[in-house]
Every structure is written in C-alpha cells, then in structure tokens.
Amino acid sequence: SGAEEYQMPPLGGTRSRAYTVSKIPNLDGFSKHIMSQSYRGQFLIAAKQLRDPNFFKTVILMLEHNQHGAMGLVVNRPSSVTVSQVLSEHFELPETGEVVHMGGPVEPGNLFILHNADDLDFSESPPVEGVFVGCTQDVFRSVVQAVSEGDEEARFRVFSGCAGWSPKQLEGEINRGDWLLLPASPEYVFSKEPYEVWDELMRVFQQAHQHIVRSISNVRCIHKQIIIGRKTGRFASAVK
C-alpha cells in the first residue's frame, strides 16, 4: 500500500501506538467512477444542531466522495502532541511547533498529511487548489525541512485518523441539515488559528446565504412588478 509505519504516543495518553502515514483511499475506483455531484474539495461545516461529540463544531475537508462512500479530515481540532514527538524515533525532524491534528474517529492509527508544496505533489489532482496529500516519508521530510529553514510560504498539517461515511450516509446527513457546505480554501486548511475556523466559516456561510435570499427576493419583487405592470398596462407602455 506504500504506507510507512511509525510509533507515536496516543493523543492524550502515554502508551505508544503504531501509526502509519497513509495514502487517501481510492474507495474502490474513485478516479474511474466520478459522481455527478461530488463533495470532494468542499468544506463540511457542522450545523449548530449537530451535537455528536466527534463532530461538534468541526470543519471537514472532503478528500473523496463517490458512490462507494466518502472520507475527509477535520481541520480544526489540534492535539497537544507535536509532529516531532510523533516521528522522533524514526527520523530527525526540526522542532517547528506544529502539532498533530485529530482528523476524525476512523482509522486513528493512520497519519494523513496535507501540504501546499506543488513541486512535491505527484498525485493526479489535488482535492483543492493549493492543498496536496503527502503520501511518502520523502515528501513529508521535504515539507517539514522547508518550514524549518524559514520558507514562509510552506505549510503542512499532520492528521491522526479521518472521518468516513458509508454509501449514501453523508447525503442523508446533509439532507437532514447536519452539515453546511462551502468551497474549501487553503487559508482555512492551514489556518494558524484552527479554533476560530468554525466561527469564521459559519459567518461566511451566513453572509452567502443572506445574499442568496436577497437575490431571490429581488427577483420575486421584479417578477411581481412585471405582472402588475402587465395587468395595468404600465409595463406595456413603458416598453414602448
């Protein structure tokens, strides 16, 4: 599978656990069977009524979504364990202060890596422009090294576990109103203030929703004026 195994302390505990740096699963041929409506590259924003502790006030970057299921990474739940602690026994990393993020309750023994180094990406297409999935030790080491050497443009995130859904499960949750959708962007994936991401995106969503509501209201108002004008003859005379 190309995954590489490491030992790291569990997030919040002291006993060691085997972790692997993982590729994003292709969900039985994602590249061959694209859905007409895929949420890949979208943010799922937990609605206020979603009280599941695994996803309360979370923002999830969707990495795959097809008829076989869906998976993504929670981008706003940092842990207290640093990346250098996680991989210190396997190769030497400079201390950048970056922590492992809790990507979701599925496959907690796997590490997933996102970065913005397009010259290191060899995948078919990134889930979001400017956000790439790092699948190898060499890519990971290169990205961390760039950050440690002062490359102000370099960004990365390491996630323990992911979020996953069986076929049609995510669609059902969205229809139920558990999740809100917005196009994803790197600034929130790599935000320096992850605890603020949910609040910021909720504001963005509400502003966009209000704009849509106002636009629909304006269209209805214009349509109503046209109907009234036609009935009274004012519209016809105005056209002349």
Side-chain angles (χ1 to χ4, degrees):
S1 64
E4 299 163 8
E5 185 170 291
Y6 303 101
Q7 292 287 133
M8 73 166 282
L11 307 184
T14 56
R15 295 178 58 191
S16 63
R17 173 194 285 175
Y19 276 69
T20 57
V21 173
S22 300
K23 296 181 179 181
I24 301 304
N26 64 13
L27 298 179
D28 297 328
F30 176 81
S31 60
K32 298 180 181 178
H33 305 287
I34 302 297
M35 296 175 64
S36 58
Q37 183 182 15
S38 173
Y39 297 130
R40 185 175 190 260
Q42 297 279 310
F43 277 140
L44 292 184
I45 308 167
K48 292 180 180 179
Q49 70 266 21
L50 182 58
R51 312 303 292 186
D52 182 338
N54 287 316
F55 298 111
F56 181 64
K57 289 190 174 183
T58 56
V59 174
I60 299 176
L61 172 63
M62 294 305 299
L63 298 179
E64 298 286 20
H65 177 224
N66 63 22
Q67 69 269 34
H68 300 291
M71 72 86 62
L73 296 171
V74 176
V75 300
N76 63 330
R77 280 195 173 176
S79 74
S80 59
V81 180
T82 67
V83 172
S84 60
Q85 286 178 301
V86 169
L87 301 176
S88 60
E89 295 182 7
H90 300 273
F91 55 91
E92 185 175 348
L93 286 176
E95 181 56 73
T96 64
E98 290 286 341
V99 298
V100 177
H101 287 241
M102 293 176 283
V106 180
E107 299 182 358
N110 286 350
L111 295 180
F112 300 90
I113 302 166
L114 300 179
H115 65 88
N116 69 342
D118 55 352
D119 57 321
L120 299 175
D121 182 71
F122 304 103
S123 61
E124 293 182 5
S125 63
V128 180
E129 184 177 357
V131 178
F132 304 93
V133 181
C135 302
T136 69
Q137 176 178 326
D138 289 339
V139 169
F140 179 71
R141 190 199 302 268
S142 298
V143 173
V144 176
Q145 192 66 37
V147 173
S148 68
E149 292 175 354
D151 186 342
E152 296 182 357
E153 300 298 321
R155 298 286 185 274
F156 74 92
R157 284 285 187 274
V158 177
F159 301 86
S160 168
C162 64
W165 293 264
S166 58
K168 301 296 183 182
Q169 181 183 0
L170 178 58
E171 291 85 340
E173 293 180 7
I174 291 174
N175 291 336
R176 194 170 61 208
D178 290 345
W179 300 100
L180 309 175
L181 289 162
L182 277 179
S185 61
E187 64 180 298
Y188 294 111
V189 174
F190 302 116
S191 173
K192 294 182 179 180
E193 302 293 341
Y195 290 116
E196 298 179 6
V197 167
W198 184 85
D199 290 310
E200 291 180 6
L201 287 176
M202 283 296 287
R203 284 193 290 269
V204 172
F205 179 86
Q206 289 166 358
Q207 291 171 358
H209 182 70
Q210 290 171 358
H211 177 73
I212 292 172
V213 170
R214 284 196 299 267
S215 298
I216 293 174
S217 178
N218 290 339
V219 169
R220 287 176 176 173
C221 182
I222 293 171
H223 182 65
K224 184 178 180 180
Q225 290 174 351
I226 291 173
I227 292 175
I228 294 174
R230 284 174 175 171
K231 288 181 179 179
T232 61
R234 284 180 295 179
F235 177 75
S237 61
V239 172
K240 292 178 181 179

